[in-house]
Amino acid sequence: MMNSLLGALESGMLYALMALGVYITFRILDFPDLTVDGSFTTGGAIAAVMITSGAPAWVSTLCAFAGGLLAGTLTGLIHTKGRINGLLSGILMMIALYSINMRIMGKPNVALIGEKTIFSSVSPLLLMPFVVLAIKLLLDLFFRTELGMALRATGDNQRMIRSFGANTDYTIILGLSLSNGLVALSGALIAQQSQFADISSGIGMIVIGLASVIIGEAIFGARNVFFATLAVVLGSIVYRLVVALALRIEWLEQTDLKLITAVIVIVALVLPTMRRSWKQKAVARRRSLEIGSEAERNSVGGGL
Amino acid sequence: MLQISHLSKLFHPGSVDEKIALVNVNLQLKPGDFVTVIGSNGAGKSTLMNMISGTLRPDSGTIHIGGNEITNLSEHRRSRWIGRVFQDPMAGTAPHMTIEENLAMAYSRGKSRGLSIGINARRRELFQEQLGKLGIGLEERLRAKVGTLSGGERQALSLLMATFTKPQILLLDEHTAALDPARAELVTQLTQRIVSELKLTTLMVTHNMEQAIRLGNRLIMMDGGRIILDIREQDKQHLSIAGLLGEFEQISGHKLSDDRVVLGT
Ligand SMILES: Nc1ncnc2c1ncn2[C@@H]1O[C@H](COP(=O)(O)OP(=O)(O)OP(=O)(O)O)[C@@H](O)[C@H]1O
Ligand SMILES: [Mg+2]
């Protein structure tokens, strides 16, 4: 039991970087980017191939990050310069990356057993808290800079930030790039932890990322960027704990996981909208009563 | 300051839905001109504004601001010279960001946005001072999300953001139309004060005839994509609503048809 909890904590932190990437596109940019499924594998592929050919683990990991940056940039270019719908741009890139990942790895699976990885000398449980915290804080800081604020405004009100002189094509590309960089970094770390890279490791990654973001926001709230990124990291860990617990249930199969994840996301997405419409109805009812009694008194309100 | 020459724009040219939005429009604004714009629905007022701000490109004609040709400059490039308040109170601000963050973004107009922190103590002080001038208590709510403000508060904030960096041209497209009369009047007063304080060259579309006559030093009337009447300085002071409507009918040959027209208050 303890082992599986620690395991969940460990993978929660490893996948947290991917979840932060998904947070940047889905929540900050308001861009449903499906590149993630491809770029996660790209990260693992680049790291695995470089490590097996003798490159230092940290160089390989950084190159994986750069590979993700590039993938995100391409999705951004397809969307902004090619004027292709965002969802489709991501899907196109995801499909293209499948072939590219295969080319990088040369075969569907690259083993890292016996190779010197980042985690050869230090356990992920010791290293990852620092890595995740550092990246989270750097992101928080970035989103408070002028450029970072322009990026947030691009997702919030594109027309407005353009009227203040920001090039929204650029901020969209930047956000997608940063997001996929983090996703690929997460893929590279996961490959080193599990000691293999697999062509299909990214499948469904976008939904897992979304689940982490949504679970985190639901449990821990997201009043501002600081708490939102914290919630995403914790959400990723909670998601892994839920999965670990679910896997202890006798009649559930490993392959049921993706179904469970999809259901979690659907429920979490539907609940807030339903709650909002209930609330709205209640407010409308109260207001119409108020207006009714106001009309009786025949008084007029003023001011802002 | 603003020079528009032979500007034309068709929507869906050559199709059955062809719409004439602007026909050979010429307009020159001197520095400090405050021009009110009136006209029927579909007269081309918003199209003219969108053409100046760069959300639309003209089919022909040119636009200059202070000697720079901006006809084909992208919207974000030309925005350093142009402040804009939209009709929709939602349109001019980022609702999920705080008041101070919105102001910081407005403050960066025309500068390249880098990795310096957007809000520091000095800026916050400046924001507070500017907000205080609006006189509606927003200076106490620097860290409130803009989405929690009322429509009137948002338009006042949008106005401040649009004029913050003293743009060469201020474009106001019915920016009080979505507000109730009391709030609209407040935003109108703020507009008047800010424009005269900063001596901004301003183009303001309005459906309020009384306002169109009372504000500014020049009034233009549009119909069918053309400027059909241009009344300046002294002549404008002697205008009456009835006279204006009469003039419109005489020139255009039909009544001023406008679903939102307000004759006066
Ligand atoms: N994006 C568009 N596509 C097609 N036609 C358009 C578009 N925008 C405006 N038009 C048409 O161009 C003409 C001018 O429209 P415009 O919005 O400039 O009028 P307006 O003077 O602002 O009117 P209103 O007083 O109703 O705001 C209208 O006939 C309108 O239907
Ligand atoms: Mg209009």
Side-chain angles (χ1 to χ4, degrees):
Chain A
M1 183 69 194
M2 198 56 205
N3 260 346
S4 70
L5 281 187
L6 283 180
L9 185 64
E10 179 176 312
S11 43
M13 286 187 291
L14 289 163
Y15 283 107
L17 300 179
M18 182 274 294
L20 283 171
V22 171
Y23 166 75
I24 293 175
T25 48
F26 264 80
R27 279 296 188 252
I28 293 197
L29 267 188
D30 195 19
F31 187 113
D33 175 32
L34 300 190
T35 314
V36 171
D37 278 24
S39 58
F40 185 84
T41 310
T42 306
I46 292 177
V49 165
M50 284 184 68
I51 289 172
T52 48
S53 60
W58 66 273
V59 174
S60 314
T61 309
L62 278 184
C63 286
F65 176 65
L69 291 180
L70 183 63
T73 304
L74 290 177
T75 305
L77 285 172
I78 295 173
H79 171 61
T80 57
K81 304 302 173 197
R83 305 240 161 268
I84 292 178
N85 164 287
L87 207 55
L88 187 56
S89 308
I91 292 174
L92 288 172
M93 198 60 211
M94 176 182 87
I95 292 296
L97 280 176
Y98 183 86
S99 305
I100 294 170
N101 293 337
M102 206 57 195
R103 282 280 177 183
I104 294 174
M105 298 208 290
K107 51 189 177 191
N109 193 301
V110 176
L112 284 171
I113 297 164
E115 301 285 348
K116 211 168 152 26
T117 71
I118 282 199
F119 302 127
S120 300
S121 47
V122 50
S123 124
L125 263 179
L126 282 180
L127 180 63
M128 284 317 288
F130 296 103
V131 173
V132 172
L133 191 70
I135 289 179
K136 177 222 161 346
L137 291 176
L138 275 177
L139 276 181
D140 294 346
L141 197 63
F142 171 66
F143 285 123
R144 286 172 48 216
T145 64
E146 298 198 325
L147 187 58
M149 284 201 298
L151 202 157
R152 284 162 62 203
T154 303
D156 206 8
N157 187 347
Q158 214 177 110
R159 177 152 73 134
M160 167 261 181
I161 192 64
R162 228 183 288 129
S163 84
F164 287 110
N167 182 348
T168 49
D169 283 358
Y170 172 62
T171 49
I172 290 173
I173 293 170
L174 180 70
L176 284 168
S177 171
L178 193 59
S179 162
N180 284 290
L182 287 173
V183 170
L185 179 60
S186 176
L189 293 174
I190 287 286
Q192 295 177 64
Q193 180 237 19
S194 55
Q195 303 201 309
F196 68 90
D198 189 275
I199 189 70
S200 61
S201 62
I203 295 178
M205 209 36 76
I206 184 64
V207 183
I208 294 175
L210 256 186
S212 309
V213 170
I214 294 169
I215 293 173
E217 286 176 347
I219 303 181
F220 305 101
R223 322 188 244 130
N224 56 33
V225 174
F226 179 89
F227 285 100
T229 51
L230 185 67
V232 170
V233 171
L234 295 177
S236 170
I237 294 171
V238 171
Y239 171 79
R240 288 294 152 187
L241 289 173
V242 172
V243 167
L245 291 177
L247 286 181
R248 297 179 75 87
I249 299 173
E250 288 285 308
W251 46 271
L252 276 180
E253 303 273 338
Q254 173 89 37
T255 47
D256 292 336
L257 257 185
K258 292 202 157 66
L259 174 63
I260 297 172
T261 310
V263 171
I264 292 177
V265 171
I266 292 170
V267 170
L269 282 179
V270 169
L271 267 185
T273 16
M274 276 170 51
R275 207 161 45 193
R276 215 173 306 139
S277 76
W278 289 331
K279 233 193 235 163
Q280 234 158 33
K281 265 189 206 140
V283 172
R285 212 173 302 129
R286 207 190 60 227
R287 276 297 293 154
S288 50
L289 284 177
E290 271 176 27
I291 290 168
S293 60
E294 243 171 55
E296 273 169 31
R297 285 200 309 275
N298 200 15
S299 66
V300 181
L304 282 166
Chain B
M1 183 55 69
L2 175 69
Q3 188 162 6
I4 293 173
S5 316
H6 306 293
L7 205 63
S8 294
K9 176 77 185 175
L10 289 181
F11 286 106
H12 312 299
S15 76
V16 279
D17 311 321
E18 184 173 282
K19 287 246 168 59
I20 300 171
L22 289 179
V23 194
N24 196 21
V25 167
N26 292 293
L27 180 67
Q28 262 149 50
L29 266 57
K30 294 202 296 289
D33 266 352
F34 182 173
V35 182
T36 55
V37 184
I38 55 174
S40 352
N41 291 129
K45 305 179 295 292
S46 297
T47 306
L48 180 62
M49 299 292 224
N50 289 335
M51 218 80 88
I52 299 171
S53 68
T55 33
L56 287 175
R57 295 297 141 80
D59 296 334
S60 61
T62 57
I63 308 173
H64 289 77
I65 290 184
N68 298 300
E69 164 148 20
I70 60 160
T71 318
N72 287 308
L73 214 56
S74 65
E75 187 186 355
H76 68 90
R77 286 238 167 76
R78 66 173 83 181
S79 70
R80 76 172 60 183
W81 298 297
I82 303 169
R84 197 163 187 213
V85 183
F86 304 93
Q87 176 178 349
D88 178 4
M90 306 291 187
T93 47
H96 293 99
M97 298 175 73
T98 63
I99 293 183
E100 61 180 8
E101 283 170 339
N102 272 275
L103 281 167
M105 290 187 287
Y107 194 68
S108 308
R109 182 207 291 284
K111 302 185 197 96
S112 69
R113 288 157 207 268
L115 292 178
S116 54
I117 296 295
I119 300 168
N120 53 34
R122 197 172 47 80
R123 280 195 180 185
R124 192 171 282 140
E125 207 170 297
L126 175 74
F127 297 163
Q128 224 151 11
E129 178 200 318
Q130 296 285 330
L131 284 169
K133 286 195 191 164
L134 295 180
I136 50 176
L138 290 184
E139 66 278 13
E140 309 291 333
R141 299 167 66 187
L142 278 182
R143 290 189 192 166
K145 296 248 164 78
V146 170
T148 64
L149 303 186
S150 75
E153 287 167 340
R154 275 206 204 184
Q155 279 312 64
L157 179 64
S158 304
L159 188 64
L160 176 61
M161 286 165 59
T163 55
F164 212 12
T165 46
K166 230 184 151 212
Q168 310 240 338
I169 305 286
L170 177 62
L171 301 177
L172 307 169
D173 191 354
E174 299 184 55
H175 68 307
T176 63
L179 308 177
D180 66 50
R183 293 166 206 222
E185 184 50 35
L186 198 131
V187 172
T188 304
Q189 278 170 16
L190 285 174
T191 308
Q192 210 173 359
R193 207 190 66 215
I194 292 174
V195 167
S196 74
E197 252 170 41
L198 301 178
K199 301 189 178 57
L200 295 175
T201 310
T202 304
L203 211 49
M204 173 174 126
V205 177
T206 177
H207 284 256
N208 185 322
M209 293 294 146
E210 184 272 329
Q211 205 177 61
I213 294 173
R214 178 165 50 97
L215 300 182
N217 64 339
R218 186 173 165 191
L219 180 150
I220 61 178
M221 192 184 261
M222 293 186 68
D223 188 57
R226 293 166 215 269
I227 296 180
I228 57 167
L229 191 62
D230 186 345
I231 305 171
R232 303 180 192 223
E233 312 283 355
Q234 305 87 342
D235 296 339
K236 184 164 180 295
Q237 285 162 18
H238 305 298
L239 273 178
S240 69
I241 292 171
L244 199 55
L245 291 179
E247 194 120 29
F248 179 87
E249 271 187 64
Q250 207 179 14
I251 302 173
S252 69
H254 59 91
K255 274 197 172 353
L256 184 72
S257 63
D258 187 330
D259 50 9
R260 295 188 298 257
V261 75
V262 183
L263 294 180
T265 41

